[in-house]
Amino acid sequence: MTEPKAAAQTPGHALVTGGAGFIGSHLVDGLLADGWTVTVVDNFDPYYAESTKRLNIAQHLDQRNYRLLQVDLRDAAALHAALDQPFGGADKTGYTVIVHLAAKAGVRNSLLDPLGYQMTNVIGTQNLLTYAYQRKIKQFVFASSSSVYGDCPRLPWSENDLDLLPINPYASTKLAGEHLGYVYSRTFGLRFVGLRFFTVFGERQRPDLAIHKFSRLMLAGKAIPVYGDGSSERDFTYWDEIVSGVRASMAYTGSDYEIFNLGNNRTIGLLDTIRKLEDVLNVKAKIDWQDWQPGEMRRTWANIEKPQRLLGYRVKTDFDTGLRRFAAWLQERLRLEGGKAG
Ligand SMILES: NC(=O)c1ccc[n+]([C@@H]2O[C@H](COP(=O)([O-])OP(=O)(O)OC[C@H]3O[C@@H](n4cnc5c(N)ncnc54)[C@H](O)[C@@H]3O)[C@@H](O)[C@H]2O)c1
């Protein structure tokens, strides 16, 4: 079998939504380093602190090829007007590719605000697809989620499974985004690459996600909430693999619609995760046992044969290494924040 070539794409102008967030800011770091012009759309959604996102992007702001459009995806007129503003000279006004990462993320919060999730994740995605079609931007990469698999019993989860039944509002908005993408590829000529990310971790991880949330509580000497009997498992994926998968998808031309799992193909139990956190943080966890939460997934596990074959996707960073890097980053973040963990 011939190895797919790693994406060596000529730098163009990337439109990155959600570029102030965890994954988006890492992607933008790499794009700017490789000579891309980057326009970021981000409204600094209050799901977590704006100051955290400002720290994520501090190194981008003085770069000549970078601009930040603080605009809300839900407002089609404002979004389209902002995106139409030329940037970087006549040769740089058109976008080569859209990477749509902006979303209301987080399963638990989606149970509290299902309409808010629909508005940003479905209407917002629709507004961006409309813009891509009107401006003839061919390549559209979309951040979907492992959560679309719901309770799918056929593990590890494969993109060939089409009868998916999500079990929380967040997941249903992500599946809706994939379906909208299919419409735009099949009927309007876009190339849509949907990427199902599996629990992403590492430096700058969202503060609501377990590793980050637990670490802060543990360092503050507080108890960590564990739902159910602690037997849930996650296929944790280090951010760098996700960014590599996104970059390969930006250059992908093999078909006009494709869905890929971006995961690790290895699951880790919640209690094991806590034990490993105790090691890297050098602190003992206190556990606050709570009832199982509706809408939560018991296990996520990615089959990654397809992205390996078609995108040249490779897992390079093991969980322990990623966790050590996260812990070192968190210590530095806490110092910048004035030392208060919890
Ligand atoms: N982190 C994970 O484990 C994970 C797993 C699966 C899927 N995803 C998906 O990957 C993407 C990035 O996730 P992340 O963890 O970096 O999240 P994040 O919250 O750090 O980043 C998302 C960004 O989108 C912005 N945003 C939200 N609503 C917006 C709106 N209406 N208009 C403009 N910008 C808006 C936010 O301000 C934020 O900066 C999301 O689509 C998420 O659903 C993430």
Side-chain angles (χ1 to χ4, degrees):
M1 192 179 89
T2 44
E3 285 261 312
K5 290 206 173 53
Q9 197 177 14
T10 310
H13 185 173
L15 164 53
V16 180
T17 72
F22 161 40
I23 297 167
S25 62
H26 281 299
L27 172 68
V28 172
D29 283 348
L31 289 172
L32 290 173
D34 290 348
W36 283 75
T37 297
V38 179
T39 290
V40 161
V41 164
D42 203 302
N43 74 337
F44 296 86
D45 180 272
Y47 180 51
Y48 67 93
E50 174 167 345
S51 55
T52 301
K53 297 174 193 177
R54 295 273 171 204
L55 283 174
N56 290 344
I57 63 167
Q59 68 285 10
H60 303 155
L61 297 176
D62 59 356
Q63 299 220 27
R64 210 169 30 89
N65 284 356
Y66 173 88
R67 79 167 156 177
L68 171 64
L69 300 175
Q70 198 164 332
V71 59
D72 193 320
L73 284 172
R74 292 169 293 190
D75 184 343
L79 177 70
H80 293 187
L83 290 176
D84 275 347
Q85 289 164 29
F87 177 55
D91 56 331
K92 289 181 184 162
T93 48
Y95 302 102
T96 318
V97 53
I98 295 177
V99 183
H100 179 32
L101 302 173
K104 278 194 180 287
V107 165
R108 217 158 292 149
N109 196 48
S110 77
L111 272 70
L112 305 173
D113 180 22
L115 183 59
Y117 276 64
Q118 283 287 328
M119 294 304 292
T120 290
N121 298 1
V122 183
I123 304 296
T125 299
Q126 175 64 66
N127 290 340
L128 202 60
L129 283 164
T130 305
Y131 186 80
Y133 172 63
Q134 288 173 349
R135 297 289 175 269
K136 299 188 169 46
I137 305 160
K138 173 82 181 169
Q139 193 88 2
F140 195 105
V141 179
F142 172 67
S144 185
S145 162
S146 59
S147 63
V148 301
Y149 287 104
D151 295 321
C152 178
R154 295 171 292 278
L155 288 154
W157 290 332
S158 152
E159 303 88 342
N160 295 331
D161 266 315
L162 299 177
D163 54 342
L164 301 179
L165 292 172
I167 59 169
N168 58 64
Y170 165 71
S172 84
T173 66
K174 288 293 175 182
L175 194 55
E178 292 184 7
H179 289 161
L180 280 174
Y182 184 74
V183 172
Y184 273 76
S185 73
R186 176 74 174 72
T187 305
F188 296 106
L190 256 65
R191 178 175 300 113
F192 183 93
V193 185
L195 302 174
R196 293 176 180 162
F197 301 163
F198 282 67
T199 318
V200 191
F201 78 106
E203 306 93 301
R204 301 183 201 157
Q205 191 193 36
R206 282 202 334 259
D208 61 306
L209 289 169
I211 289 176
H212 192 160
K213 183 166 128 186
F214 288 1
S215 299
R216 283 180 181 262
L217 289 169
M218 286 164 66
L219 289 169
K222 295 181 183 164
I224 57 176
V226 170
Y227 301 104
D229 60 2
S231 65
S232 60
E233 291 171 42
R234 289 290 175 271
D235 190 338
F236 287 105
T237 314
Y238 188 62
W239 65 261
D240 199 27
E241 331 293 12
I242 298 290
V243 168
S244 302
V246 170
R247 293 291 297 268
S249 303
M250 291 167 64
Y252 179 77
T253 54
S255 63
D256 274 353
Y257 180 81
E258 219 58 69
I259 298 291
F260 294 104
N261 288 339
L262 295 186
N264 199 306
N265 189 230
R266 175 170 180 242
T267 68
I268 303 188
L270 183 57
L271 297 181
D272 270 348
T273 306
I274 294 169
R275 257 176 246 121
K276 286 173 187 289
L277 274 179
E278 290 181 328
D279 285 347
V280 294
L281 299 171
N282 199 20
V283 47
K284 187 96 190 103
K286 294 179 218 153
I287 297 186
D288 173 17
W289 295 99
Q290 306 237 354
D291 289 342
W292 182 254
Q293 298 282 300
E296 285 292 325
M297 325 225 328
R298 297 207 177 260
R299 192 178 197 195
T300 67
W301 185 10
N303 177 329
I304 54 173
E305 182 277 327
K306 183 177 174 185
Q308 285 174 332
R309 184 165 42 85
L310 296 181
L311 295 178
Y313 176 74
R314 298 286 177 270
V315 173
K316 296 185 213 111
T317 309
D318 62 58
F319 187 63
D320 293 4
T321 305
L323 214 53
R324 276 195 300 277
R325 289 184 192 156
F326 168 78
W329 167 84
L330 182 61
Q331 298 291 359
E332 175 58 15
R333 242 321 141 93
L334 290 172
R335 198 185 58 74
L336 291 174
E337 290 171 10
K340 209 163 159 290

